[in-house]
Amino acid sequence: FVSCNNRVLIRNMVDELLKRKMENIFLLSGPEKFYCELECMKGMRDAFENNGKQNVSDYFIQTNMGKEDAFRKTLQLLNIRIAGIGDY
């Protein structure tokens, strides 16, 4: 039997990225009404709090779980980040 804890997995991954000074970390997920999505959000929130970061909700991007919506929101995110290219 193999099990995965999404909260711990996301927390550990984001913790490591933040320790490496990577700041542009976003969670693209479906609605938080789904348990697995909610656990990922909790893991990201844990990592941000562990590293003294605030406004973690600004880094959540929710989709309707369709490929088209995820693609559209990714492009929107890239356009926002490209406009502020000095932020990298």
Side-chain angles (χ1 to χ4, degrees), residues 18-82:
L18 290 171
K19 286 177 187 171
R20 293 176 186 217
K21 305 295 183 211
M22 296 179 180
E23 302 286 325
N24 291 311
I25 305 165
F26 294 86
L27 179 65
L28 188 65
S29 71
E32 61 186 279
K33 68 181 179 181
F34 297 112
Y35 178 78
C36 60
E37 309 294 321
L38 180 60
E39 287 299 293
C40 290
M41 291 175 192
K42 288 178 180 178
M44 186 137 165
R45 186 169 282 113
D46 292 345
F48 269 59
E49 289 173 1
N50 291 346
N51 288 276
K53 303 288 182 191
Q54 297 179 356
N55 302 324
V56 67
S57 297
D58 293 345
Y59 296 87
F60 292 151
I61 301 171
Q62 288 190 316
T63 72
N64 65 10
M65 308 266 300
K67 287 186 273 185
E68 293 82 8
D69 190 41
F71 182 72
R72 183 177 51 80
K73 289 187 177 175
T74 300
L75 288 178
Q76 288 172 351
L77 174 63
L78 290 173
N79 285 333
I80 290 168
R81 292 296 163 186
I82 290 170

